[in-house]
Amino acid sequence: MMTPALLSAALLLLLLPGAPAQDSNQTPISIHVINSVTNTPNMTYSTYVVFRGILLGAMRRLRDSGPGFTFKYIEDSNYGPFLTSVNGLAGCPTMRTYWELLVKKAGGRVFRPDVGIGCYIPMADEEIILNFNKY
Ligand code: B12
């Protein structure tokens, strides 16, 4: 049973602006949109995945929450979702451009996952980098 003092402290915490809207089922990540082909400014967004959730889930949540992040993908019959476009910029086979998926670990190491957005499971505080690049 909560005392009235404890109850009002709990209520106050809930109402405080900026109080983290996070629970133990949410893993915070950031998504950086960068362009290694042209000089488009970088964009950074914050979102989260649920416990063991896939990157695509976090991308959908970010798109639906309205900070201006948009993306498209096509379904590959063997490997699942292939990211084709981010924030209105699409990869192009004739220009040999595509959206590369990179991940920066908390320690700063950057690696290139060997799976796509439908299989990659981000860990806490990872920076996901969507890099418009050439192949
Ligand atoms: C060439 C290639 C690419 C090219 C494809 C474009 C092109 N026109 O050539 C580019 C450079 C764009 C590419 C990108 C990526 N790729 Co790739 N790619 C290959 C490779 C070497 C050959 C595919 C091929 O041409 N097959 C022959 C054709 C005739 O068959 P196809 O079915 O039409 O091939 C298509 C699909 O393979 C698709 N594709 C290619 N890569 C990927 C990755 C994902 C996740 C999906 C859904 C589809 C897909 O594009 C091909 C051409 O249209 C394979 C490895 C292999 N030896 O098979 C890896 C491979 C398919 N890629 C892989 C990966 C991980 C990626 C990336 C996620 C890497 C990254 N971290 O950025 C990105 C995709 C990011 C995104 N935008 O979603 C993995 C997929 C494993 C998995 N289970 O998810 C593979 C198996 C390599 C590996 N690491 O083992 N890739």
Side-chain angles (χ1 to χ4, degrees):
M1 187 73 169
M2 263 196 194
T3 64
L6 262 179
L7 193 62
S8 33
L11 274 175
L12 186 67
L13 268 178
L14 277 176
L15 294 173
L16 271 180
Q22 223 177 283
D23 67 30
S24 57
N25 192 36
Q26 299 177 2
T27 302
I29 59 166
S30 58
I31 295 185
H32 302 278
V33 178
I34 71 173
N35 190 324
S36 298
V37 180
T38 68
N39 277 335
T40 317
N42 298 348
M43 297 293 288
T44 297
Y45 306 90
S46 297
T47 183
Y48 66 87
V49 280
V50 297
F51 177 69
R52 299 288 293 160
I54 56 172
L55 174 58
L56 178 58
M59 290 169 66
R60 287 191 180 118
R61 182 171 300 110
L62 183 58
R63 178 196 59 200
D64 298 344
S65 65
F69 174 78
T70 61
F71 69 99
K72 290 183 182 159
Y73 64 87
I74 52 164
E75 201 66 38
D76 181 272
S77 53
N78 294 302
Y79 299 116
F82 181 87
L83 184 64
T84 52
S85 162
V86 176
N87 290 347
L89 177 62
C92 170
T94 51
M95 306 284 283
R96 298 181 63 83
T97 55
Y98 78 113
W99 283 97
E100 180 183 31
L101 171 60
L102 299 172
V103 176
K104 190 174 185 181
K105 305 294 286 179
R109 187 176 71 89
V110 176
F111 72 101
R112 189 174 187 268
D114 63 0
V115 292
I117 57 171
C119 291
Y120 188 70
I121 298 177
M123 306 296 285
D125 297 323
E126 277 184 356
E127 295 180 21
I128 303 297
I129 302 166
L130 304 178
N131 179 30
F132 192 68
N133 208 349
K134 295 204 102 166
Y135 58 86

